[in-house]
Amino acid sequence: MTHVDLGVKQIAAEFLFVLCKERVDNLLKYTGYGNAAGLLAARGLLAGGRGDHWYSDDEDTDTEEYKSAKPNINLITGHVEEPMPNPMDEMTEEQKEYEAMKLVNMFDKLSRDEVIKPMGVRLDGTMTPLEETVCQYQTNEQDSSDSD
């Protein structure tokens, strides 16, 4: 699915999708989201769901090997990765607070420089700049308190 030849890439992706009975969740389970994203975008299935065809429902396809490896599978690449030690375990509370403040400051700088733009979700489920979302919720709260 990452081959340089576009034809090979598309045919391999389609073949794997059919083997997964055109179920997005199965394709993601076996290939990882990063590998499947191109096919899913082309088919309009990035949000999940099924393909155009219906297949018989079998029993669970998870093998014992997959079930034991599942917690260590990277959902983006589909590879099994060794668990990494948590760097927070050896930090003091002061160090954790310092690192959190560094992170807040980095996000603040990126936001002020307009490298990133904080987004929110409208009531209709679409993304919008956070300021608009906050205004929308405040307006809705005022309307509901006025009616009380």
Side-chain angles (χ1 to χ4, degrees):
M1 293 174 73
T2 58
H3 197 276
V4 294
D5 184 345
L6 190 60
V8 172
K9 182 166 116 173
Q10 288 174 335
I11 289 172
E14 293 288 339
F15 179 65
L16 288 171
F17 194 50
V18 168
L19 287 177
C20 293
K21 297 184 178 183
E22 295 192 21
R23 292 188 54 176
V24 172
D25 55 340
N26 283 349
L27 182 68
L28 296 177
K29 176 171 77 174
Y30 293 116
T31 66
Y33 190 80
N35 292 320
L39 172 75
L40 297 178
R43 286 182 164 239
L45 295 171
L46 279 174
R50 292 186 78 115
D52 298 332
H53 302 91
W54 290 94
Y55 295 87
S56 64
D57 288 331
D58 286 353
E59 67 280 347
D60 190 18
T61 60
D62 293 348
T63 62
E64 291 300 319
E65 181 182 15
Y66 176 78
K67 288 178 183 176
S68 65
K70 188 174 182 178
N72 298 328
I73 294 177
N74 181 320
L75 299 177
I76 302 300
T77 63
H79 292 204
V80 176
E81 297 177 350
E82 293 300 318
M84 300 292 290
N86 186 351
M88 301 282 283
D89 290 341
E90 298 181 14
M91 295 175 94
T92 66
E93 290 301 316
E94 292 80 21
Q95 288 173 319
K96 291 177 186 177
E97 188 173 328
Y98 174 76
E99 292 297 326
M101 288 309 300
K102 271 182 31 181
L103 185 61
V104 167
N105 290 334
M106 286 189 281
F107 273 111
D108 183 52
K109 182 175 180 352
L110 289 171
S111 180
R112 279 187 279 116
D113 294 344
E114 296 186 6
V115 174
I116 61 171
K117 188 171 199 168
M119 301 293 281
V121 180
R122 290 184 184 156
L123 296 174
D124 63 0
T126 58
M127 299 291 288
T128 183
L130 192 57
E131 298 85 29
E132 290 180 28
T133 307
V134 170
C135 291
Q136 180 182 9
Y137 282 108
Q138 287 175 343
T139 303
N140 287 344
E141 285 180 16
Q142 288 174 353
D143 290 345
S144 65
S145 65
D146 290 345
S147 63
D148 291 339

